[in-house]
Amino acid sequence: MALEANYLRVRLQQPGPAGERQLLCTRRARLAYGGQQVMVGDWVGLDGCDWGDGRAAVASLEPRCSQLQRPALANVDQVLVVVALAQPSLDEELLSRFLLSAETTGVEVVPLLSKADLITEGEASCWLQRLNGWGYDALCISREQPETLSSVRQRLAGGVAVLCGPSGVGKSSLLNALVPHLDLPTAAVSGKLQRGRHTTRHVELHDLPDGGLLADSPGFNRPELPIDQQQLPSLFPEIRRQLEDGARCRFRDCRHLQEPGCGLDRSWERYGTYRSLMEQSS
Ligand SMILES: Nc1nc2c(ncn2[C@@H]2O[C@H](COP(=O)(O)OP(=O)(O)OP(=O)(O)O)[C@@H](O)[C@H]2O)c(=O)[nH]1
Ligand SMILES: [Mg+2]
Ligand SMILES: [Zn+2]
């Protein structure tokens, strides 16, 4: 569940003889020679358990269901894209960029709109509706509103999730609020640009009280988008949903721009974003 200098901190599937929940492990040399890099989130096989010292060695690596690059994490079920409703104010272009970037993982994407205490309920529900139109079931959250945190807890129970998003939106603060006794460093948003200070630097999965694991990640300010024509349509829930609902285009490689026989409806809010990304990539 965490990489620490030369060691791997491994969470046990079943507690050890004295109720141990984790062991500090080295990597077996053959793992390294096999070219296999252990990532946080991996399921591994251990040998040479020394319960007295709480040590063991990682001897094998299970196949992954998913793999994220940034942050480097395996077997994630949900990517939570956190953006602030205020401080810094919500920039829809940036939000869209983070969502598209998260979609490239192929994992379920859930937008979390943070710092809801800083805006009115009306404004918050406007954003939720808007994101609903984009195809997302988003949540508004605030450290100051405990009921919003319990809806996040419910969403996360049982799975492995990661918080992504710009710096200073409150990712570490959210994790601190969800995990008892956790005290990750957080920092005030500062300066004219209203940017965070990049307080979080490494990746670790934390146990949630209701089951499930959640990782923080260092915020970054503007993800680069993959401009791969083939992949782009699949990154938009608006398009995925229409195709799932049976919309059909005449050409199998339809880019849903001006092609004859395109079966997609184009009256959705982010169609312009889609079209310009498609044009940039051609
Ligand atoms: N008003 C309000 N402020 C919040 C809330 N959550 C976090 N903050 C503040 O936002 C600032 C940034 O919080 P962090 O948790 O450090 O943000 P982060 O997303 O982890 O930032 P990086 O680690 O740099 O990516 C801090 O000053 C927090 O006190 C919230 O729900 N409401
Ligand atoms: Mg942080
Ligand atoms: Zn089409």
Side-chain angles (χ1 to χ4, degrees):
M1 55 196 298
L3 307 176
E4 293 174 1
N6 295 317
Y7 292 97
L8 308 165
R9 192 142 47 77
V10 176
R11 234 297 287 292
L12 301 168
Q13 198 170 14
Q14 271 151 21
E20 296 89 343
R21 303 206 58 198
Q22 53 189 45
L23 291 172
L24 208 53
C25 300
T26 54
R27 299 169 181 82
R28 284 270 179 252
R30 69 180 118 87
L31 203 63
Y33 295 141
Q36 290 175 296
Q37 289 285 340
V38 180
M39 292 171 84
V40 175
D42 268 325
W43 284 99
V44 295
L46 303 182
D47 67 13
C49 291
D50 178 342
W51 294 110
D53 276 353
R55 300 295 178 103
V58 171
S60 63
L61 187 58
E62 296 296 314
R64 297 174 180 139
C65 311
S66 64
Q67 184 175 329
L68 271 60
Q69 303 297 339
R70 202 176 168 184
L73 264 176
N75 301 314
V76 171
D77 303 307
Q78 284 181 55
V79 177
L80 309 177
V81 172
V82 188
V83 291
L85 288 156
Q87 292 180 21
S89 59
L90 209 166
D91 171 344
E92 59 175 276
E93 204 259 343
L94 192 66
L95 168 58
S96 207
R97 222 166 230 280
F98 270 99
L99 292 173
L100 292 167
S101 162
E103 292 282 359
T104 63
T105 62
V107 166
E108 185 191 356
V109 175
V110 179
L112 298 183
L113 309 180
S114 65
K115 309 194 189 183
D117 53 288
L118 298 176
I119 62 163
T120 66
E121 248 175 66
E123 287 171 302
S125 66
C126 256
W127 274 109
L128 288 181
Q129 258 176 36
R130 198 157 163 198
L131 274 158
N132 197 267
W134 297 8
Y136 291 105
D137 195 4
L139 293 172
C140 282
I141 57 167
S142 164
R143 201 177 43 188
E144 319 292 330
Q145 301 165 348
E147 68 283 4
T148 64
L149 301 180
S150 51
S151 52
V152 176
R153 274 194 203 96
Q154 279 169 18
R155 224 30 114 79
L156 297 183
V160 178
V162 58
L163 298 165
C164 295
S167 187
V169 296
K171 299 179 296 297
S172 302
S173 305
L174 173 63
L175 201 55
N176 283 338
L178 293 175
V179 179
H181 313 301
L182 187 64
D183 194 13
L184 297 172
T186 62
V189 174
S190 62
K192 259 202 297 222
L193 289 172
Q194 285 280 290
R195 281 190 178 163
R197 289 190 198 149
H198 301 278
T199 314
T200 304
R201 299 196 179 274
H202 73 288
V203 184
E204 171 171 358
L205 282 168
H206 300 276
D207 269 302
L208 296 170
D210 305 326
L213 293 162
L214 182 58
D216 197 1
S217 75
F220 48 98
N221 285 325
R222 206 179 145 84
E224 283 312 310
L225 282 186
I227 314 266
D228 174 1
Q229 285 218 2
Q230 302 272 313
Q231 195 187 19
L232 201 55
S234 70
L235 306 183
F236 284 82
E238 298 95 321
I239 295 180
R240 290 203 304 261
R241 193 165 286 182
Q242 291 191 54
L243 295 173
E244 280 160 20
D245 289 348
R248 287 291 166 265
C249 303
R250 186 181 305 160
F251 302 111
R252 210 159 47 94
D253 60 350
C254 185
R255 298 185 310 152
H256 320 302
L257 297 177
Q258 303 295 332
E259 292 86 345
C262 176
L264 288 201
D265 169 39
R266 290 170 206 172
S267 57
W268 34 281
E269 190 193 345
R270 292 199 299 168
Y271 184 74
T273 307
Y274 169 73
R275 190 181 49 213
S276 68
L277 285 171
M278 205 38 136
E279 283 163 0
Q280 281 168 41
S281 71
S282 49

